[in-house]
C-alpha cells in the first residue's frame, strides 16, 4: 500500500527518517534502509538537514525507489530559488517520487557552510502552493505545464512552539496552501500533544507525531536547552538516568515504543514519524516493542 | 540613514601607497551621525595622514555627499586645493564616494569607510537595520514590522520552527520577527490580516542597478 493510501485508509502509518551521508559511501545507509523494508510505510529523506551539506534528497529517494521502498522527498527553501525548486519537483516526479515534505529549512548559520548565501526566495507556505499548482498543471507564474505532477504533499508543525498562536496560524495557512499531511516536531508529552491534536483535528489533514529516539539523559537535557520547540519532561529524563549509561538507549527505545502504543491505542493521531538520528538500526526494535510488527 | 564603519587604517594606507597628496571629503548627513565622516573625523584623518608623511591639500564637509550636483557646486571654492591633490579620499558611504568619482573623472578616489546598511539610529551611534529597500513594501500587511529585514530568512507567512520563546533560531540576540509581528498585530487588532497568505515576493522590484526619474513623468504630463 502506498504511503498516501495507508494514511487515507485510516491505517496507523509509520515513517522513519533517513539522512543521506556526507560523501559518496552509502553502504551503511543502504543497509539500514534495507532493514526497514516492509516494516515502515515510507522513508523520509532529509534535505541537507541542519544546513549541513550532504548527498541531496532526490538522489537517495531514487535509490530507495529502486530498492522497492517508498520515499518522501524533503524539500527546503534554503538552497534553491523558485526556478530550482520547481525544476527539481518536476525532476523528482519523473523519477517516480510521489511524496514531498515542504519546509523552510534551517538557516545556513546552523550548519557547516555558515558563509553560504541563504536563498529563501519562497518559503514553506508558498512552496506548498507551488506543489499544488504543479499538481494542477501550472507553474508559479501560471504557465501551463506539459504534464502535471501528482504529489502527495505535506508540511511540518511544532506542537510545542512558544508562543503557539502564530505557529497554529501558520499551520492553518499550510492547510489552506494544500498540505495533506503533517509531520510534527518531536513530542514527548502525550497529554500536551492531545491538546494540540484537538485543535489540529478540526482540519482535513493527516497528522504524524514526530518522535525522536532518546539515547541518554544527556541528549534529553541537550535538546531541552538547545533545540527550539522540543521539551523532554523531567520524568523521562529521570527514567533514562535510572536505567544507567549502558541501558539508556534500551530505555529510550522503551519510551518511544510506549508512546507509539498510546498514540495508536487511544487513536490520538494518524501515525508516527520516527527519527532515530544515527540509530536507524533500532527502528525495527522500536516497532516490535510498540506492537506494530 | 546609510550606516558606515571606518575601514582599517592600514588597508587604507595600502591603497594610498602610490600617492602623496590628498583632498578629503566627508558628509554632514549620515556619515557625521555615524562618526565616520564628520568634522572631527576629517580633522583626525588629516592628522593621521600627515603623521604618515602625506600631505592634505584641503577638506570639505559637503551638505549631502550623495547629492552629486550639490557637492560639485560646493567643491568649486576648493578648486585649487583639489587640483593640487593626487587623489581624493571620501569619508562617507559608497554613494558619496561615487559622487566624487563622477566629479573627478581623472583622479583616483578611495573610500575610507565600509557601507553597511540602511539603518535607524536607536541611540547615539547605535544603529539597527529595519528596511532593506526591497522595492515592494509589505509593511501594510505585517503590522509595520519588516520581516524581509528583521527575519534572517525573510519569511512572509509566520514564524519558522526555529522560533524559541520569542528568540530567533539564528541567534539569541535576535528577537523573532514573526513573534514581534504577531504580538503587535494582536495589540492593534489586525490578526485577521496575519492569517492571510502572502504571495511570493516580486524580487524584480529590487533589481540592480535601480534608477528612478520622477522629473520626466511630471514633464510628460505637461
Ligand atoms: S518590505 Fe521592503 S520596503 Fe518595506 S520595510 Fe521591508 S525591505 Fe523596506
Ligand atoms: S526564528 Fe523567527 S526571525 Fe528567526 S528565522 Fe525563524 S521566523 Fe525568522
Amino acid at each position: 500500500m502506498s504511503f498516501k493510501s495507508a494514511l487515507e485508509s485510516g491505517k496507523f502509518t509509520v515513517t522513519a527518517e533517513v539522512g543521506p551521508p556526507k560523501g559518496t559511501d552509502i553502504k551503511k545507509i543502504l543497509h539500514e534502509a534495507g532493514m526497514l523494508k516492509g516494516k515502515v510505510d515510507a522513508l523520509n529523506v532529509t534535505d541537507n538537514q541542519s544546513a549541513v551539506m550532504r548527498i541531496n534528497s532526490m538522489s537517495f529517494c531514487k535509490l530507495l525507489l529502486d530498492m522497492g521502498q517508498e520515499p518522501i522527498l524533503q524539500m527546503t527553501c534554503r538552497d534553491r530559488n523558485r526556478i530550482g525548486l520547481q525544476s527539481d519537483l518536476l525532476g523528482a516526479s519523473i523519477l517516480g517520487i510521489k511524496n514531498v515534505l515542504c519546509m523552510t529549512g534551517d538557516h545556513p548559520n546552523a550548519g557547516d557552510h555558515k558563509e553560504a548565501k541563504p536563498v529563501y526566495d519562497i518559503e514553506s507556505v508558498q512552496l506548498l502552493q507551488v506543489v499544488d499548482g504543479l499538481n494542477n498543471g501550472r507553474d508559479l507564474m501560471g504557465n501551463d505545464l506539459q504534464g502535471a505532477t501528482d504529489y502527495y504533499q505535506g508540511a511540518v508543525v511544532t506542537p510545542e512552539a512558544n508562543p503557539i498562536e502564530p505557529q497554529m496560524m501558520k499551520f492553518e495557512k499550510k492547510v489552506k496552501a494544500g498540505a495533506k499531511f503533517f509531520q510534527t516536531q518531536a513530542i514527548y508529552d502525550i497529554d500536551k500533544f492531545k491538546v494540540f491534536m484537538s485543535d489540529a483535528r478540526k482540519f482535513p489533514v493527516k497528522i504524524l507525531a514526530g518522535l525522536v529516539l532518546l539515547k541518554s539523559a544527556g541528549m534529553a537535557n541537550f535538546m531541552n536547552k538547545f533545540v527550539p520547540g522540543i521539551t523532554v519532561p523531567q520524568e523521562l529524563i529521570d527514567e533514562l538516568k535510572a536505567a544507567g549509561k549502558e541501558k539508556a538507549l534500551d530505555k529510550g527505545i522503551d519510551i518511544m515504543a510506549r508512546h507509539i502504543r498510546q498514540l495508536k491505542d487511544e487513536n490520538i493521531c494518524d501515525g508516527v514519524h520516527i527519527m532515530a538520528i544515527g540509530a536507524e538500526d533500532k527502528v525495527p526494535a522500536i516497532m516490535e516493542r510498540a506492537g506494530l510488527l | 540613514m546609510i550606516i558606515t564603519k571606518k575601514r582599517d587604517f592600514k588597508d587604507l594606507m595600502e591603497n594610498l601607497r602610490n600617492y602623496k597628496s590628498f583632498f578629503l571629503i566627508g558628509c554632514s548627513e549620515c556619515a557625521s551621525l555615524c562618526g565616520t565622516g564628520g568634522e572631527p573625523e576629517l580633522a583626525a584623518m588629516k592628522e593621521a595622514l600627515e603623521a604618515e608623511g602625506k600631505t592634505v591639500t584641503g577638506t570639505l564637509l559637503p551638505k549631502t555627499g550623495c547629492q552629486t550636483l550639490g557637492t560639485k557646486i560646493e567643491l568649486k571654492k576648493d578648486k585649487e586645493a583639489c587640483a593640487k591633490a593626487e587623489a581624493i579620499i571620501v569619508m562617507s558611504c559608497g554613494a558619496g564616494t561615487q559622487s566624487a568619482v563622477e566629479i573627478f573623472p581623472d583622479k583616483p578616489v578611495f573610500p575610507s569607510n565600509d557601507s553597511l546598511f540602511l539603518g535607524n539610529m536607536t541611540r547615539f551611534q547605535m544603529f539597527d537595520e529595519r528596511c532593506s529597500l526591497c522595492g515592494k513594501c509589505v509593511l501594510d500587511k505585517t503590522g509595520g514590522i519588516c520581516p524581509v529585514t528583521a527575519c534572517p530568512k525573510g519569511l512572509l507567512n509566520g514564524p519558522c520552527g526555529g522560533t524559541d520563546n520569542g528568540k530567533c533560531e539564528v541567534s539569541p540576540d535576535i528577537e523573532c520577527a514573526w513573534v514581534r509581528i504577531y504580538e503587535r498585530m494582536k495589540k492593534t487588532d489586525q490578526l485577521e490580516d496575519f492569517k492571510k497568505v502572502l504571495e511570493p515576493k516580486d524580487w524584480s522590484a529590487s533589481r540592480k542597478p535601480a534608477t528612478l526619474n520622477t522629473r520626466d513623468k511630471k514633464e510628460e504630463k505637461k
Side-chain angles (χ1 to χ4, degrees):
Chain A
M1 202 190 314
S2 74
F3 170 63
K4 178 180 174 183
S5 353
L7 267 180
E8 313 252 285
S9 72
K11 170 181 184 281
F12 191 80
T13 303
V14 181
T15 63
E17 185 156 293
V18 286
K22 191 179 184 70
T24 53
D25 181 355
I26 52 171
K27 278 194 272 333
K28 181 168 177 277
I29 184 169
L30 281 182
H31 171 72
E32 285 163 356
M35 283 174 69
L36 298 174
K37 191 166 174 180
K39 298 193 169 78
V40 296
D41 294 286
L43 286 171
N44 204 310
V45 185
T46 54
D47 173 10
N48 294 298
Q49 127 214 38
S50 307
V52 172
M53 189 284 292
R54 309 157 199 259
I55 294 174
N56 68 16
S57 180
M58 201 197 302
S59 302
F60 198 72
C61 283
K62 168 67 173 147
L63 287 187
L64 289 176
L65 277 175
D66 293 346
M67 289 165 68
Q69 312 218 116
E70 180 156 359
I72 301 171
L73 175 76
Q74 291 198 10
M75 206 168 220
T76 73
C77 300
R78 179 190 52 239
D79 310 317
R80 286 160 287 186
N81 71 5
R82 61 191 80 180
I83 300 174
L85 288 167
Q86 292 183 96
S87 161
D88 278 358
L89 280 164
L90 293 179
S93 181
I94 60 163
L95 292 178
I97 296 165
K98 292 263 183 268
N99 314 298
V100 59
L101 187 75
C102 300
M103 298 183 294
T104 295
D106 295 323
H107 193 277
N109 195 48
D112 65 351
H113 285 65
K114 294 192 197 307
E115 295 179 4
K117 183 172 185 175
V119 180
Y120 304 117
D121 179 28
I122 59 173
E123 31 102 302
S124 52
V125 175
Q126 297 159 348
L127 181 58
L128 285 162
Q129 289 180 323
V130 163
V131 173
D132 189 58
L134 297 180
N135 278 349
N136 285 294
R138 57 187 149 67
D139 70 10
L140 181 59
M141 298 307 291
N143 300 309
D144 285 336
L145 300 177
Q146 199 178 317
T149 58
D150 183 22
Y151 280 116
Y152 187 55
Q153 69 269 41
V156 293
V157 62
T158 306
E160 296 201 20
N162 186 354
I164 187 68
E165 297 87 355
Q167 178 73 203
M168 291 313 287
M169 287 177 175
K170 190 162 189 177
F171 171 77
E172 254 191 88
K173 285 189 184 191
K174 288 179 176 177
V175 176
K176 259 192 230 152
K180 304 285 187 281
F181 69 95
F182 280 83
Q183 171 183 310
T184 78
Q185 174 59 291
I187 55 133
Y188 291 99
D189 187 325
I190 307 290
D191 287 332
K192 269 206 238 158
F193 184 62
K194 282 185 191 167
V195 178
F196 162 80
M197 281 307 299
S198 66
D199 233 10
R201 280 281 188 232
K202 293 177 194 145
F203 301 93
V205 290
K206 302 292 178 186
I207 311 268
L208 301 171
L211 301 173
V212 168
L213 179 62
L214 292 171
K215 295 184 218 161
S216 66
M219 172 189 174
N221 284 324
F222 177 88
M223 289 203 295
N224 277 346
K225 226 176 165 173
F226 296 111
V227 187
I230 298 189
T231 314
V232 186
Q234 190 57 43
E235 306 94 77
L236 295 186
I237 300 178
D238 293 343
E239 236 184 281
L240 289 163
K241 250 191 225 150
K245 256 209 171 117
E246 312 265 274
K247 289 265 166 69
L249 177 59
D250 197 60
K251 181 49 78 181
I253 295 172
D254 269 348
I255 292 172
M256 193 188 280
R258 188 168 82 211
H259 286 167
I260 296 175
R261 234 177 236 280
Q262 190 185 357
L263 291 167
K264 183 171 183 254
D265 292 350
E266 296 182 27
N267 196 16
I268 298 170
C269 55
D270 306 295
V272 287
H273 171 60
I274 300 174
M275 294 170 267
I277 315 190
E280 281 70 23
D281 58 326
K282 299 289 180 290
V283 175
I286 296 168
M287 294 182 69
E288 225 159 83
R289 287 189 212 178
L292 291 171
L293 291 182
Chain B
M1 73 179 88
I2 306 299
I3 311 308
T4 49
K5 207 174 95 192
K6 282 181 201 164
R7 299 178 81 154
D8 189 41
F9 188 67
K10 262 197 233 127
D11 291 346
L12 180 68
M13 287 315 292
E14 174 63 19
N15 286 333
L16 305 180
R17 68 191 182 282
N18 295 329
Y19 311 96
K20 282 193 204 77
S21 52
F22 304 92
F23 187 85
L24 314 182
I25 303 176
C27 176
S28 346
E29 303 267 6
C30 318
S32 285
L33 284 166
C34 291
T36 55
E39 203 67 77
E41 293 79 32
L42 280 169
M45 179 65 83
K46 181 169 188 288
E47 209 172 287
L49 288 171
E50 286 170 352
E52 296 281 331
K54 309 276 188 190
T55 309
V56 173
T57 64
T59 65
L60 174 76
L61 187 68
K63 203 169 151 293
T64 313
C66 56
Q67 230 257 62
T68 314
L69 197 61
T71 305
K72 190 172 183 175
I73 293 166
E74 282 180 79
L75 273 168
K76 277 199 176 136
K77 63 176 180 4
D78 296 305
K79 213 174 159 193
E80 243 169 72
C82 289
K84 274 192 254 162
E86 287 174 8
I88 311 291
I89 298 175
V90 182
M91 302 174 60
S92 60
C93 64
T97 305
Q98 292 180 75
S99 284
V101 168
E102 187 175 329
I103 296 166
F104 299 98
D106 40 23
K107 268 191 213 303
V109 175
F110 296 100
S112 72
N113 295 329
D114 282 322
S115 303
L116 305 178
F117 53 90
L118 168 64
N120 290 47
M121 181 148 113
T122 51
R123 283 177 188 198
F124 182 62
Q125 289 188 357
M126 283 175 70
F127 308 96
D128 272 352
E129 186 179 22
R130 304 224 170 132
C131 168
S132 30
L133 306 173
C134 74
K136 271 227 166 116
C137 198
V138 298
L139 285 178
D140 51 336
K141 300 180 182 73
T142 58
I145 295 169
C146 171
V148 177
T149 309
C151 165
K153 299 180 187 173
L155 302 185
L156 293 181
N157 282 298
C160 71
T163 178
D164 194 17
N165 284 309
K167 301 289 181 204
C168 171
E169 74 168 35
V170 172
S171 155
D173 299 333
I174 303 173
E175 303 284 328
C176 172
W178 274 101
V179 171
R180 285 171 54 212
I181 292 170
Y182 167 74
E183 301 287 355
R184 186 174 159 87
M185 291 179 90
K186 191 162 108 182
K187 269 196 209 126
T188 56
D189 201 16
Q190 288 178 292
L191 284 182
E192 278 314 306
D193 282 344
F194 189 102
K195 291 181 188 160
K196 289 185 192 144
V197 173
L198 293 197
E199 301 299 316
K201 262 193 91 52
D202 173 5
W203 288 113
S204 73
S206 59
R207 248 179 225 152
K208 317 248 175 259
T211 52
L212 176 69
N213 184 343
T214 47
R215 205 162 87 176
D216 276 354
K217 274 185 205 144
K218 271 184 214 149
E219 278 167 4
E220 264 165 28
K221 269 183 205 154
K222 277 183 213 162

